[in-house]
Amino acid sequence: MKKLFFIDYDKVDKDLDELIKKTNKDNYVILMSNYNYKHCNILSKNLNTSPYIISNNGSYTKNYITNEVLINNPLDKDILKELVVYFFNHNLNFYLNSIDYVFSNIKNNLFVNVTKESIIKAIDNYPIYQIMIDSENKNRMLTIPNILKDKYPNLKITEKDLTNKPYYYIINEVGTSRTNAIYEIIDKLQYQKKDIMIIGKTSKEFKLIDDLNI
């Protein structure tokens, strides 16, 4: 039986690309990423990896050949609307990942630029799976964890950098993770844990979950 390799892929890395290409020859490779589904789909096809895609930190997990969705956990629309108003009012840059688009208050060819009014319409029409915010104001960013804890306990910070400008957070639903997506896929494919390998930061989280017998 071929082994399943789950690889964290959150930025372009030529060395990682070469590793994936070599690993693909005798095994299956599944990419895990902060990127939205469309971006992960392009990466997977370009690198000739498995059709299973773990996007948005596991909140949207799908087989792009069969179109079977294993995990579909978008963020609550009402909460999102409250948060984007807060982001606008406090001059925080935001990036909302849907399946096909990234909606942002920043003008960039990679994003769909939105206003206070248009983002509300976008949230109504497109499921959003992940939030990224950034700012060069560290004090402003330091308030975010407390706001989430006090007002939005169903959200969690899955990644952050408060050492380099611009400071950023990536936010997902509490119930989603790359580890949960791994378990869904190996259950679907009837693989044992001994037949998989995890390359990247998720290996630590998976080992912790495994040790706790969760």
Side-chain angles (χ1 to χ4, degrees), residues 40-130:
C40 288
N41 194 344
I42 293 170
L43 284 171
S44 294
K45 289 178 179 178
N46 288 343
L47 293 170
N48 196 31
T49 62
S50 162
Y52 284 98
I53 292 172
I54 298 174
S55 65
N56 295 305
N57 273 320
S59 56
Y60 191 76
T61 300
K62 179 179 178 179
N63 182 317
Y64 69 75
I65 290 180
T66 66
N67 287 321
E68 180 183 19
V69 177
L70 297 183
I71 297 175
N72 182 18
N73 195 11
L75 299 167
D76 182 271
K77 292 180 183 295
D78 291 332
I79 289 175
L80 273 170
K81 291 175 184 178
E82 291 180 15
L83 284 172
V84 293
V85 170
Y86 180 89
F87 299 153
F88 271 112
N89 291 343
H90 292 81
N91 296 315
L92 292 170
N93 304 326
F94 66 80
Y95 317 83
L96 308 183
N97 275 2
S98 70
I99 291 174
D100 295 312
Y101 306 109
V102 179
F103 299 100
S104 177
N105 56 344
I106 297 298
K107 291 184 178 180
N108 185 302
N109 290 336
L110 297 174
F111 315 132
V112 178
N113 182 245
V114 291
T115 62
K116 270 189 179 181
E117 294 73 25
S118 63
I119 187 56
I120 300 303
K121 293 180 180 178
I123 290 170
D124 281 333
N125 288 287
Y126 296 91
I128 304 297
Y129 293 88
Q130 182 172 267

Side-chain angles (χ1 to χ4, degrees), residues 5 20 29 58 63 71 96 109 129 139 158-159 196-197 211:
F5 280 76
I20 290 171
V29 173
N63 182 317
I71 297 175
L96 308 183
N109 290 336
Y129 293 88
N139 289 332
T158 51
E159 188 174 314
I196 73 170
M197 292 191 67
D211 288 345

Side-chain angles (χ1 to χ4, degrees), residues 1-6 182-183 185-198 206 210:
M1 177 182 288
K2 292 185 177 183
K3 284 191 175 294
L4 279 179
F5 280 76
F6 292 87
I182 290 171
Y183 276 111
I185 290 173
I186 64 175
D187 179 62
K188 174 69 180 179
L189 299 179
Q190 298 185 342
Y191 265 71
Q192 302 297 316
K193 283 180 282 188
K194 64 181 177 61
D195 296 318
I196 73 170
M197 292 191 67
I198 301 169
F206 188 88
D210 196 36

Side-chain angles (χ1 to χ4, degrees), residues 146-157:
N146 287 330
I147 290 172
L148 296 182
K149 182 180 178 181
D150 293 340
K151 294 190 66 177
Y152 309 107
N154 288 335
L155 300 180
K156 66 177 179 179
I157 294 170

